[in-house]
Amino acid sequence: MSVAVIRFPGSNCENESIDALKSHDISFDLIDWTASTNLDNYSGFLLPGGFSYQDRIRAGVIAAKLPIIQQLKKQATQNKPILGICNGAQILVESGLLTSSHALDQIIDLNYVDDHAIGFISDWGFLTPFNASHNVFLSSFSDNDVLPIQICHGEGRFLTQSPPISGLKYTSIAGQITGEFPTTPNGSPDNIAAISNPDGNILAIMPHPERSILHTRMPYAIQTYAQKHRLNLINISSLFNAFKGCAA
Amino acid sequence: MIVLTTLKQKDLAAVSAQQLLSDHNNSPLDIQRFDLYTLSGEFTQHDMAMAVRDSYIFSNPNKHHLILDHSDLLHDQQLFAHVVRQTPLNLTVKVDLLNHRLGSGSVSHVFHSELWAFTHSNAVELNDTDYINTLIMSSSDGIAPFAHPLIHHVTLMRLNDLHQMMGVFTSSNTHDA
């Protein structure tokens, strides 16, 4: 059994996502949104980043209405791990998969800071887990760990009717959740960067863990600052361990 | 003041929406998408219309139709769904551009919303609430994509209602919020 990486028209991060799985010796199949493959054949799912359907109407909404997502909902009830990265997260949220009742009481909205629509952001930032043990993708981390990560989105602001039970928040390199720009780069209320579903098998994360697992990709300034101030930055690579059980 | 723009070529968001709804019992024959901007402040309609027409702040004449008044693109065969944010976001960049253009600080707000125009081949036997719930407002098991229940409010309108909202028939010289 392996992980299905589901590609939509406009997805563009599937190769990096596959590289991240390969780096953990995780078996995978790249399948298209039109695939007639039985999803029962897979033990985990990854929805990569990109711009599915050009973000028409709202990012992720067109893909969320497709038959393959309806099939994915059935797989979710079997407690299989499902990871949505950036546009993949938007698709999961628009489908209602992150809520127990599948009600649409969450959305990932456009970046808006201090009454300004700030547009697309592309930078490195830092995340910290909350209630990490609740979600299968976060269980290898501890609450208050600081995880460097690449951020790249124009619509990344999580709006939720009720607080998520588990997930990741934006923090500073020193582990302080300030709630201010640029520590929280997109105006996300409560500094939310990723949310878990109530059952803990699904994670919708807006920043890009698949782009952040190689130490050499981290800006030199971050590396030297952390070294100088003896900060213990944790590699987010362990997030993909949730798929370990899917190895061939 | 209301400013409407729409693409001169077919809007691909409308194309995707039509494909999504193609199997629905009340699938529309045609869908058009308009960007609707609501401008607020103390200015004359004449001055603002000139500023809007003479600039690229809302439209590029090579790409967009700009609608400030009557238009053949709006007709009484259409049913309009106005999708508005529950908490409007002020487009401060456009406010600044307009005020620079007018040489004043008279524009206070520019809010964006979407106007979807549906043309049906036959009369749709749905009341407004059911029309919105089945064809407009997104839900986890529904096919409609246009609005999200957490952030959007939807109003259905006919052409007369739209013209009234646009103030097409008014003759007042000032427009307030």
Side-chain angles (χ1 to χ4, degrees):
Chain A
M1 294 271 268
S2 54
V3 173
V5 179
I6 304 175
R7 176 172 59 187
F8 299 89
S11 296
N12 65 14
C13 299
E14 64 270 30
N15 287 338
E16 292 93 334
S17 300
I18 286 168
D19 285 345
L21 294 175
K22 282 181 186 172
S23 72
H24 286 76
D25 295 322
I26 295 168
S27 173
F28 67 90
D29 272 345
L30 179 62
I31 67 172
D32 284 337
W33 71 103
T34 52
S36 56
T37 313
N38 187 347
L39 295 188
D40 288 340
N41 296 335
Y42 298 101
S43 52
F45 302 91
L46 194 159
L47 276 63
F51 297 89
S52 63
Y53 294 95
Q54 298 177 316
D55 287 355
R56 295 172 192 174
I57 306 178
R58 280 187 317 283
V61 67
I62 302 290
K65 303 297 183 184
L66 296 179
I68 196 168
I69 297 299
Q70 304 311 312
Q71 293 174 43
L72 192 64
K73 289 181 180 177
K74 293 177 192 166
Q75 300 298 313
T77 62
Q78 298 172 36
N79 220 34
K80 294 180 180 179
I82 301 173
L83 178 66
I85 301 173
C86 202
N87 187 231
Q90 292 161 338
I91 294 168
L92 290 178
V93 169
E94 285 282 352
S95 74
L97 259 172
L98 275 301
T99 64
S100 54
S101 60
H102 290 185
L104 289 194
D105 56 9
Q106 300 164 332
I107 191 173
I108 302 175
D109 202 7
L110 54 86
N111 299 340
Y112 201 75
V113 176
D114 293 337
D115 297 331
H116 295 283
I118 63 169
F120 199 91
I121 53 175
S122 181
D123 202 350
W124 278 77
F126 306 91
L127 304 182
T128 188
F130 60 99
N131 201 9
S133 59
H134 180 84
N135 184 277
V136 65
F137 292 98
L138 304 178
S139 57
S140 59
F141 304 113
S142 301
D143 287 1
N144 302 319
D145 278 346
V146 177
L147 317 171
I149 194 162
Q150 198 171 75
I151 301 164
C152 199
H153 55 246
E155 298 174 52
R157 193 166 55 108
F158 276 95
L159 302 178
T160 60
Q161 204 150 57
S162 49
I165 193 168
S166 169
L168 293 158
K169 294 189 179 186
Y170 293 104
T171 186
S172 71
I173 192 171
Q176 291 163 337
I177 299 175
T178 67
E180 292 178 354
F181 180 87
T183 302
T184 298
N186 53 25
S188 193
D190 211 21
N191 312 294
I192 299 295
I195 59 175
S196 168
N197 68 325
D199 291 338
N201 63 313
I202 305 175
L203 187 72
I205 177 169
M206 278 311 298
H208 286 265
E210 81 286 11
R211 298 185 190 178
S212 314
I213 62 176
L214 292 178
H215 181 74
T216 50
R217 294 199 69 182
M218 198 188 310
Y220 192 61
I222 293 177
Q223 296 179 47
T224 52
Y225 185 95
Q227 208 168 24
K228 179 181 176 183
H229 296 274
R230 299 187 184 178
L231 300 174
N232 185 26
L233 301 180
I234 307 296
N235 194 314
I236 200 167
S237 172
S238 305
L239 180 144
F240 294 96
N241 284 340
F243 290 127
K244 277 288 190 183
C246 307
Chain B
M1 178 173 169
I2 302 290
V3 175
L4 278 175
T5 68
T6 190
L7 287 173
K8 289 187 173 178
Q9 65 182 27
K10 190 64 180 173
D11 191 308
L12 293 178
V15 169
S16 288
Q18 190 141 19
Q19 286 172 347
L20 275 181
L21 296 178
S22 60
D23 290 334
H24 195 280
N25 286 341
N26 294 301
S27 174
L29 199 62
D30 183 62
I31 301 177
Q32 299 285 329
R33 181 186 164 276
F34 300 82
D35 287 296
L36 191 152
Y37 298 94
T38 306
L39 282 53
S40 304
E42 294 291 329
F43 47 81
T44 66
Q45 186 176 9
H46 175 262
D47 287 348
M48 183 55 74
M50 278 193 59
V52 170
R53 283 201 185 97
D54 294 345
S55 73
Y56 280 27
I57 295 173
F58 295 102
S59 63
N60 178 333
N62 297 307
K63 283 179 62 176
H64 303 102
H65 293 291
L66 175 67
I67 302 168
L68 303 177
D69 208 309
H70 294 278
S71 169
D72 291 340
L73 296 171
L74 306 172
H75 53 81
D76 55 16
Q77 303 303 310
Q78 292 165 316
L79 177 63
F80 300 98
H82 187 201
V83 179
V84 184
R85 282 184 170 266
Q86 293 174 14
T87 304
L89 303 179
N90 192 14
L91 302 181
T92 51
V93 170
K94 293 197 188 297
V95 171
D96 291 344
L97 287 170
L98 284 172
N99 280 326
H100 182 76
R101 189 106 197 148
L102 292 172
S104 69
S106 57
V107 180
S108 61
H109 294 88
V110 175
F111 295 133
H112 172 262
S113 54
E114 281 184 319
L115 188 74
W116 296 89
F118 302 95
T119 305
H120 291 272
S121 54
N122 300 308
V124 176
E125 294 180 1
L126 289 174
N127 60 39
D128 283 5
T129 302
D130 288 341
Y131 192 96
I132 291 172
N133 288 340
T134 60
L135 286 173
I136 309 295
M137 189 66 74
S138 185
S139 63
S140 63
D141 55 0
I143 204 70
F146 304 101
H148 193 287
L150 190 61
I151 62 168
H152 289 131
H153 174 73
V154 180
T155 305
L156 288 186
M157 292 188 286
R158 294 286 180 187
L159 183 62
N160 282 343
D161 304 313
L162 178 60
H163 278 161
Q164 193 169 17
M165 189 176 83
M166 292 172 68
V168 166
F169 298 112
T170 63
S171 58
S172 60
N173 289 326
T174 58
H175 288 257
D176 295 324

